[in-house]
Amino acid sequence: MNRLMCFLVCSFVSVTQAFEIPTNGLPEFAEYGDLVELVPGKFQSVPENRRFQDDVDQVTLYSYKVQSTVTSRMANTFIQTKVVNNSPQPQNVVFDVQIPKGAFISNFSMTVDGTTFTSSIKEKTVGRALYSQARAKGKTAGLVRSRALDMENFKTEVNVLPGAKVQFELHYQEVKWRKLGSYEHKLHLQPGRLAKHLEVDVWMVEPQGIKFLHVPDSFDGHFDGVLVVSKGQQKAHISFRPTVAQQRKCSNCSETAVDGELVVMYDVNREEKAGELEVFNGYFVHFFAPENLDPIPKNILFVIDVSGSMWGIKMKQTVEAMKTILDDLRAEDQFSVVDFNHNVRTWRNDLVSATKTQVADAKKYIEKIQPSGGTNINEALLRAIFILNEANSLGLLDPESVSLIILVSDGDPTVGELKLSKIQKNVKQSIRDSISLFSLGIGFDVDYDFLKRLSNENRGIAQRIYGNQDTSSQLKKFYNQVSTPLLRNVQFNYPHTSVSDVTQNSFHNYFGGSEIVVAGKFDPEKAEQLQSIITATSANTELVLETLAKMDDLEEFLAKDKHADPDFTKKLWAYLTINQLLAERSLAPTAAAKRKITKTILQMSLEHHIVTPLTSMVIENEGGDERMLADAPPQDHSCCSGALYYGSKVAPSSVPSWVSPSPTPMIPMPARGAQVLEATPPPHVMRVENDPHFIIYLPKSEKNICFNIDSEPGKILNLVSDPELGILVNGQLIGAKKPKNDKLRTYFGKLGFYFQSEDMKIEISTEAIALSQGSRTSTLSWSDTAHTINHRVLVSVKKEQSVTVTLNKDMSFSVLLHRVWKKHPINVDFLGIYVPPTNKFSPKAHGLIGQFMHEPEIRIFNERPGKDPEKPEASMEVKGHRLTVTRGLQKDYRADRLFGTDVSCWFVHNSGKGFIDGHYKDYLVPQLYSFLKRP
């Protein structure tokens, strides 16, 4: 469970002011004894892709509640779970909630066996300092990125004593954005097992009036008649409260059928073309989404990545989507296609009208594309910009048209200009203000932060889809969001001193099916009503739209509904403003400008009590002697609630909910002291040492290729993953005591080995060596020389030096222990790992080391002097990429434990980009014994 950094939610008494939580007459925890027979069966340890059950419940779910209120598109969601440990042994209970990446967490609390933990928001360094003073034992919290599209995971892990009761409670808020003509509110329901009390309530309060509301059946008809939808003119209530019998997958099943998304789709009335202007409690919000306008002609360049990594299903789906998209072009539109790998090609060097003949010819061109080679993003974008700029200079563009570039790519640049900041600068200098750049990133390799910066800076948006999703439908959906321009140069003006601090959610073009949202502060003492004047250009005319808003009308309406959020205007303004400032911060031209923006974001985050990339949530008990820390993940410039599980997290495809408890096994495994079984170390191995440096020996080429991985403490990297043979090696990073030269170094502090055929797990840390097989466990100490043999697995420990793990006598792994002076101000103890190349792995073997067990072809040529006279450079061709590599030295510590032996290698920059498959982040796994999931 070491890997589960978690974020949590609960308090028996803490409820934020925005919610009124009905108790339905139930006592706070009722009688837990009544629940034991709800789900016959007891948990037992089984492989990670299976459920854990036996004869008696060990951890029982008493109640599972999700409540959400949406007031004028401002959504507040509350998730609460209550559990009890019926086991005679302590259990690890993990609460895992998926929330939208754009959402802000506003409150968290939990109560563990009568002790209440509440949360507060602190500046990050302050939060970490408080946490270091009183770390909670047996409890962790964290907010981490999820591989799911636009998701984050909020997790908490608590060790619960026998008979103890636990409650988790989380609040978060988000704005509902209009896409394709409607809003979508998603709640991910994943209790994982039967709950005696399961309640889901969604209240909608829309002063404009609800035009339509639809709740699609996402449970295959299982809950027909259980979901109740009540809709009025301006309000709606969706209630989902299945009984225990209704939750069962079948009449005699112990598994729950509640596992999926509750989706509410709706839109509001729009009688006024000038939009809806709402003023309340010192803030205003202006929603602008006019209808019944003729589309503006568009000039569109499709820039498509056709490098080797697009081979297969990604390219096939992209081609199918492009054929549909081309059919949607209107006769007055102009277009062309740019495709690129290491070279850049154009279907037409000039824009052409979207006639049936031209569209048919473009389809034929796209169908013949064969992906290969590297990725030259810089030249492809500059070519597209040049085509649009030249057409504009020659007067070939309709002055009333809108120009767009849509970039579709699945990887970072590997050819031409490689520096992302330089590409960004080149695009910014070349592109006209009238051109919008939209980006769609496909798969795990692409640098999505770069695409977001690129698009945000050039009047566009970016979206990401992953390789395991339907690329075709996602690409078409993305195109539909940005392909129907209705208004240009939309400007909002509020001509009165009563208005200040105005911010909005988009650039100044309006696309059909979307919505522009503007918010600001309003001083009612300076004016009794708020005036808005909007100017814009439509397909055939200049528009001037004016509207007025009074406070009294909205105040009277909201006062009548107990579920309406009285702070919705304030929250929406803060949400928009902070997100806008975060985008501006990433594009700040100077350090001084960035510091000023950072200060404003921090002040607003603390004032509004929300977790942002600049703040941390400190969770502590009343005495302040036990604390947990939840940092926001790095900014990644919807979704979901409630998953609760126990023990080790399992794959989402198998058991996404309550999994097994993980009590400490008590049956020891035999281990005996002995002379360590030593052999002459093989001269050529694959090594990972220091912080961490990877040295990959390629036997056929007789070359050492090396690269570094710069990640974060706590992250787990997959080194070897062979699902066919059931062999796994993962390493968890630890950080140095403090940064050196403004960089915090990371090292492997723990390594996990798993041999599925033997049901054998080996955890090697700098403290001890732990072995487990089924219910049998044993711990070996670094202070002894010993070995243990179990069937085909030999574990041999050499006192205070190394551990060798050998499987079936022909596959081995050596782990070296590096001790440092305990009072060293920076360095920490860490581990190195050495793996001899072998052909014993299956063709499916992968991982940062495992992928090279099947040696790729490389060619190193054009050796030349480098910037450092002692480090020559060369060109290396590998996996369809041409890389610049640098000659250098790394260390092998097997023979000389103190100073090491120099190993000459060719160094690949940027965390091995181009040499390893994909991006190094693709090799991050959630737990120490998780197999790598390849996209």
Side-chain angles (χ1 to χ4, degrees):
M1 299 301 299
N2 329 28
R3 172 62 183 154
L4 291 170
M5 301 167 21
C6 300
F7 212 115
L8 350 171
V9 318
C10 256
S11 158
F12 291 175
V13 295
S14 174
V15 176
T16 58
Q17 195 172 16
F19 294 95
E20 179 176 333
I21 309 301
T23 61
N24 296 329
L26 293 173
E28 191 61 33
F29 250 90
E31 293 298 327
Y32 278 94
D34 297 341
L35 303 178
V36 178
E37 299 303 321
L38 273 179
V39 189
K42 160 175 137 181
F43 292 105
Q44 61 182 5
S45 278
V46 295
E48 279 192 355
N49 61 349
R50 292 176 53 196
R51 286 195 181 271
F52 297 78
Q53 291 188 334
D54 202 15
D55 293 333
V56 177
D57 275 343
Q58 294 193 345
V59 180
T60 302
L61 173 60
Y62 172 67
S63 72
Y64 179 85
K65 293 182 182 179
V66 180
Q67 300 185 0
S68 197
T69 64
V70 183
T71 306
S72 282
R73 279 75 107 199
M74 187 71 219
N76 295 274
T77 300
F78 155 86
I79 306 152
Q80 181 195 77
T81 61
K82 300 177 182 179
V83 300
V84 63
N85 178 14
N86 294 318
S87 167
Q89 296 173 320
Q91 304 292 329
N92 283 334
V93 177
V94 181
F95 180 69
D96 182 2
V97 180
Q98 286 185 312
I99 65 173
K101 279 185 179 174
F104 289 144
I105 292 171
S106 57
N107 191 29
F108 165 78
S109 59
M110 71 177 182
T111 299
V112 183
D113 202 23
T115 301
T116 298
F117 290 75
T118 56
S119 63
S120 59
I121 306 298
K122 304 292 184 183
E123 190 273 329
K124 254 188 177 160
T125 56
V126 174
R128 289 172 180 173
L130 289 170
Y131 172 61
S132 65
Q133 294 170 9
R135 299 186 182 189
K137 296 180 180 180
K139 306 174 185 68
T140 59
L143 183 59
V144 297
R145 285 282 178 237
S146 167
R147 278 279 175 95
L149 183 62
D150 289 337
M151 303 283 230
E152 289 169 350
N153 276 52
F154 179 77
K155 301 180 182 178
T156 184
E157 178 183 0
V158 180
N159 189 265
V160 183
L161 295 175
K165 304 164 187 176
V166 186
Q167 176 174 295
F168 303 102
E169 191 171 294
L170 174 70
H171 298 259
Y172 67 87
Q173 58 193 44
E174 57 174 324
V175 174
K176 300 284 98 182
W177 302 119
R178 189 170 186 254
K179 296 180 180 180
L180 303 179
S182 67
Y183 305 95
E184 189 175 77
H185 187 47
K186 290 184 179 180
L187 299 174
H188 194 68
L189 307 180
Q190 202 173 33
R193 66 178 344 176
L194 305 178
K196 185 172 184 180
H197 303 287
L198 193 153
E199 302 175 7
V200 181
D201 288 285
V202 181
W203 288 279
M204 319 286 296
V205 181
E206 290 290 352
Q208 281 182 249
I210 299 174
K211 183 178 181 180
F212 74 85
L213 185 144
H214 174 57
V215 183
D217 180 8
S218 55
F219 295 100
D220 298 326
H222 186 90
F223 295 106
D224 285 349
V226 179
L227 189 74
V228 179
V229 180
S230 306
K231 176 183 171 297
Q233 290 186 348
Q234 297 169 300
K235 303 175 185 179
H237 178 217
I238 297 91
S239 176
F240 179 61
R241 301 188 179 191
T243 64
V244 173
Q246 291 169 333
Q247 293 172 46
R248 298 183 189 274
K249 276 192 173 181
C250 60
S251 59
N252 59 350
C253 290
S254 61
E255 295 180 333
T256 180
V258 183
D259 186 2
E261 293 177 337
L262 176 64
V263 181
V264 181
M265 301 180 67
Y266 75 102
D267 199 10
V268 299
N269 296 322
R270 288 183 176 79
E271 297 178 0
E272 299 292 336
K273 280 194 173 182
E276 177 74 7
L277 188 58
E278 299 176 357
V279 185
F280 193 68
N281 275 357
Y283 294 85
F284 76 89
V285 59
H286 195 165
F287 300 102
F288 182 67
E291 296 180 334
N292 303 318
L293 296 171
D294 294 330
I296 297 174
K298 59 181 174 287
N299 317 298
I300 186 165
L301 260 294
F302 299 99
V303 182
I304 304 173
D305 183 347
V306 296
S307 60
S309 57
M310 286 287 288
W311 183 269
I313 190 66
K314 282 193 285 189
M315 193 72 243
K316 180 180 179 181
Q317 292 185 341
T318 299
V319 169
E320 291 304 310
M322 282 302 304
K323 289 162 65 176
T324 303
I325 287 169
L326 291 172
D327 282 333
D328 289 340
L329 293 173
R330 299 160 58 92
E332 59 267 30
D333 296 334
Q334 296 188 90
F335 79 106
S336 188
V337 178
V338 175
D339 60 295
F340 68 97
N341 47 27
H342 50 282
N343 297 314
V344 177
R345 300 190 308 166
T346 55
W347 166 66
R348 294 284 188 270
N349 290 325
D350 302 307
L351 290 168
V352 299
S353 297
T355 63
K356 290 183 178 180
T357 302
Q358 297 286 16
V359 167
D361 192 68
K363 288 182 182 178
K364 293 178 183 177
Y365 177 82
I366 292 171
E367 287 174 342
K368 293 178 181 179
I369 289 174
Q370 295 293 322
S372 64
T375 308
N376 193 342
I377 291 178
N378 182 69
E379 187 178 339
L381 286 175
L382 294 183
R383 180 78 62 87
I385 293 169
F386 173 79
I387 291 173
L388 285 171
N389 287 347
E390 186 178 44
N392 185 70
S393 299
L394 296 174
L396 301 177
L397 303 183
D398 184 340
E400 302 300 324
S401 65
V402 170
S403 295
L404 315 173
I405 294 173
I406 295 183
L407 168 67
V408 181
S409 179
D410 78 330
D412 290 347
T414 61
V415 179
E417 180 58 61
L418 303 181
K419 194 173 182 180
L420 301 182
S421 60
K422 180 63 176 176
I423 296 174
Q424 193 175 332
K425 183 178 179 181
N426 291 343
V427 170
K428 183 65 176 175
Q429 289 177 342
S430 303
I431 199 167
R432 291 176 179 267
D433 290 342
S434 58
I435 300 173
S436 295
L437 171 60
F438 299 91
S439 303
L440 187 68
I442 301 176
F444 298 106
D445 301 343
V446 69
D447 189 329
Y448 183 52
D449 285 340
F450 165 64
L451 293 184
K452 290 199 79 171
R453 291 195 303 271
L454 197 64
S455 293
N456 288 345
E457 194 173 28
N458 296 289
R459 297 158 295 282
I461 60 174
Q463 185 167 313
R464 181 175 189 168
I465 60 177
Y466 294 99
N468 57 353
Q469 293 181 313
D470 184 348
T471 302
S472 179
S473 64
Q474 292 291 325
L475 176 53
K476 284 184 282 188
K477 185 176 180 180
F478 177 71
Y479 171 76
N480 288 337
Q481 290 178 30
V482 303
S483 64
T484 314
L486 299 179
L487 291 174
R488 296 186 301 114
N489 304 323
V490 183
Q491 303 287 336
F492 293 82
N493 186 28
Y494 304 93
H496 202 281
T497 57
S498 59
V499 172
S500 62
D501 296 334
V502 178
T503 187
Q504 72 181 70
N505 73 322
S506 71
F507 294 99
H508 300 298
N509 290 335
Y510 169 67
F511 294 87
S514 64
E515 184 172 53
I516 298 178
V517 182
V518 183
K521 294 181 178 179
F522 174 74
D523 187 349
E525 294 184 0
K526 294 182 178 180
E528 294 183 356
Q529 59 186 15
L530 176 62
Q531 179 187 21
S532 165
I533 300 174
I534 303 172
T535 59
T537 304
S538 69
N540 47 29
T541 186
E542 296 290 328
L543 298 178
V544 178
L545 308 171
E546 185 174 348
T547 188
L548 292 172
K550 297 182 178 180
M551 294 179 293
D552 296 341
D553 297 341
L554 186 60
E555 185 172 358
E556 183 180 350
F557 171 76
L558 294 176
K560 294 178 181 178
D561 195 294
K562 64 181 180 180
H563 299 297
D565 182 0
D567 293 323
F568 82 94
T569 50
K570 178 181 179 180
K571 291 178 181 178
L572 200 149
W573 171 80
Y575 185 98
L576 285 181
T577 303
I578 291 175
N579 274 302
Q580 179 64 31
L581 289 171
L582 287 170
E584 291 177 7
R585 182 175 180 265
S586 69
L587 302 173
T590 65
K594 188 171 185 177
R595 284 195 298 270
K596 184 177 179 181
I597 296 171
T598 300
K599 183 179 179 181
T600 304
I601 297 171
L602 180 58
Q603 288 174 341
M604 289 191 64
S605 302
L606 297 175
E607 179 184 350
H608 294 273
H609 197 267
I610 50 181
V611 180
T612 66
L614 303 180
T615 58
S616 297
M617 179 176 280
V618 177
I619 304 155
E620 60 184 339
N621 61 0
E622 186 176 358
D625 56 351
E626 280 197 275
R627 293 185 180 126
M628 292 168 284
L629 185 71
D631 281 351
Q635 189 188 358
D636 192 8
H637 327 349
S638 263
C639 180
C640 305
S641 53
L644 191 61
Y645 60 86
Y646 308 124
S648 299
K649 185 81 163 67
V650 300
S653 59
S654 53
V655 189
S657 53
W658 300 81
V659 263
S660 89
S662 52
T664 305
M666 303 302 293
I667 306 173
M669 293 176 62
R672 57 180 179 270
Q675 292 297 315
V676 66
L677 305 181
E678 296 186 68
T680 302
H684 300 299
V685 296
M686 300 184 184
R687 316 163 177 86
V688 187
E689 278 286 6
N690 290 312
D691 60 330
H693 304 315
F694 287 72
I695 309 171
I696 305 299
Y697 177 68
L698 303 177
K700 295 178 183 176
S701 307
E702 296 185 338
K703 304 286 186 185
N704 283 307
I705 310 298
C706 53
F707 57 94
N708 296 346
I709 296 294
D710 293 321
S711 190
E712 303 168 12
K715 299 292 186 183
I716 300 177
L717 292 168
N718 175 254
L719 304 179
V720 179
S721 180
D722 190 338
E724 187 168 311
L725 294 183
I727 297 174
L728 171 75
V729 184
N730 288 333
Q732 185 171 31
L733 297 172
I734 56 172
K737 295 174 183 175
K738 64 180 181 180
K740 181 179 181 181
N741 300 326
D742 295 325
K743 179 183 177 182
L744 181 68
R745 295 189 175 186
T746 56
Y747 309 83
F748 281 131
K750 187 177 296 181
L751 293 165
F753 297 79
Y754 177 48
F755 304 105
Q756 195 171 37
S757 62
E758 308 298 318
D759 193 20
M760 183 84 160
K761 293 180 179 178
I762 305 167
E763 180 179 303
I764 303 176
S765 69
T766 56
E767 286 81 33
I769 303 99
L771 301 89
S772 65
Q773 185 179 34
S775 60
R776 306 171 65 198
T777 64
S778 181
T779 301
L780 303 178
S781 172
W782 280 108
S783 60
D784 297 316
T785 292
H787 74 265
T788 179
I789 302 174
N790 181 271
H791 299 297
R792 298 189 305 149
V793 180
L794 166 66
V795 180
S796 181
V797 182
K798 188 175 182 180
K799 181 178 179 179
E800 291 296 331
Q801 292 189 35
S802 64
V803 175
T804 301
V805 179
T806 304
L807 176 66
N808 207 28
K809 299 182 180 180
D810 55 13
M811 187 182 294
S812 67
F813 308 83
S814 295
V815 178
L816 265 61
L817 173 65
H818 295 271
R819 294 284 194 208
V820 300
W821 179 43
K822 291 187 181 297
K823 295 184 180 181
H824 195 286
I826 297 176
N827 295 342
V828 293
D829 295 347
F830 65 97
L831 304 172
I833 183 170
Y834 296 74
V835 186
T838 175
N839 60 2
K840 300 298 182 180
F841 287 96
S842 80
K844 293 186 178 179
H846 211 261
L848 287 168
I849 294 176
Q851 64 186 289
F852 298 105
M853 294 300 174
H854 306 287
E855 183 174 339
E857 292 184 5
I858 68 166
R859 184 168 78 93
I860 297 176
F861 59 100
N862 190 23
E863 187 170 341
R864 54 196 181 271
K867 296 179 182 178
D868 184 339
E870 297 181 6
K871 296 181 179 180
E873 292 182 350
S875 297
M876 181 172 77
E877 289 183 348
V878 59
K879 299 181 179 179
H881 304 295
R882 177 176 291 185
L883 310 175
T884 298
V885 292
T886 305
R887 193 72 168 173
L889 296 175
Q890 296 291 355
K891 294 288 187 180
D892 184 324
Y893 291 93
R894 291 175 299 167
D896 186 339
R897 298 293 312 285
L898 186 58
F899 299 105
T901 303
D902 287 339
V903 177
S904 178
C905 66
W906 287 105
F907 183 81
V908 180
H909 302 272
N910 299 321
S911 297
K913 185 185 298 183
F915 180 59
I916 63 173
D917 293 336
H919 192 278
Y920 88 85
K921 292 183 180 178
D922 298 345
Y923 299 86
L924 295 174
V925 293
Q927 294 183 77
L928 197 61
Y929 297 109
S930 295
F931 278 91
L932 181 67
K933 292 185 178 180
R934 298 186 61 187

